[in-house]
Structures are given as structure tokens and as C-alpha cells.
Amino acid sequence: NVVVQTTDTVRHVEVIRAWLESHKPLILCGPPGSGKSMTLTSVLDTSPEYILAALNFSAGTTPELILTTFLQYCEEVEGPENPGGKILQPQSGTYQKSQWLVV
């Protein structure tokens, strides 16, 4: 996919890149076809420190479907602050510690 360089697309890419570098949650909102997925994907494709786990929601999305998607990229480990509890972390054998999983 090719992103056509316009003033808006360049600005959007730079805003998303800066936001990702802050490691804060982000939700992209907008009407269908406005370029949310295309812009995010173009940023992530040029940034090896991020792995994209794409989730598309619909009326049929269930918690089980979301967990199944997470488990394709993550592993369950014991929670250090909650003995017996589980947390998900990126698969240690697949991803480097410096990489971030973007969902």
C-alpha cells in the first residue's frame, strides 16, 4: 500500500508516531474509509519496534475472539503482584524486549 503524501497525511503520520513513542493508549476514531487503518499501518510498517495485532470489531465480536487474537501474539505468565493471577505479555521467544505490541 502506498500513502499519498499530502499535508494532512504527513501531519497524521507524525502525530501518530509521536503518540506511539509516548507509550500511551490511543483510539483512532473516524468514519469508514477515512484512512485510520492505512495511516496507522504505514507508521507501524516503518517502525520495527512495534508489532501490530489488528482487531476489527463488529456486533459478532466476543471476549473469546479478542482473547484468541491476543494469544496469537502473547503468552500467559504469573502476575508478580497477584500470585496465582495471569497476565499477558508479548511472546518472549518471538519478540524482542524492546518491541511493543500495538493492538
Side-chain angles (χ1 to χ4, degrees), residues 37 40-41 44-45 50-55 73 95 100-103:
S37 297
L40 180 62
T41 302
L44 295 174
D45 284 348
Y50 301 109
I51 297 103
L52 176 62
L55 288 175
Y73 298 91
Y95 305 114
W100 284 78
L101 181 64
V102 178
V103 180

Side-chain angles (χ1 to χ4, degrees), residues 55-76:
L55 288 175
N56 294 305
F57 293 94
S58 70
T61 303
T62 63
E64 292 79 19
L65 179 62
I66 295 170
L67 284 174
T68 299
T69 302
F70 282 156
L71 289 173
Q72 292 175 2
Y73 298 91
C74 300
E75 60 191 8
E76 291 183 48

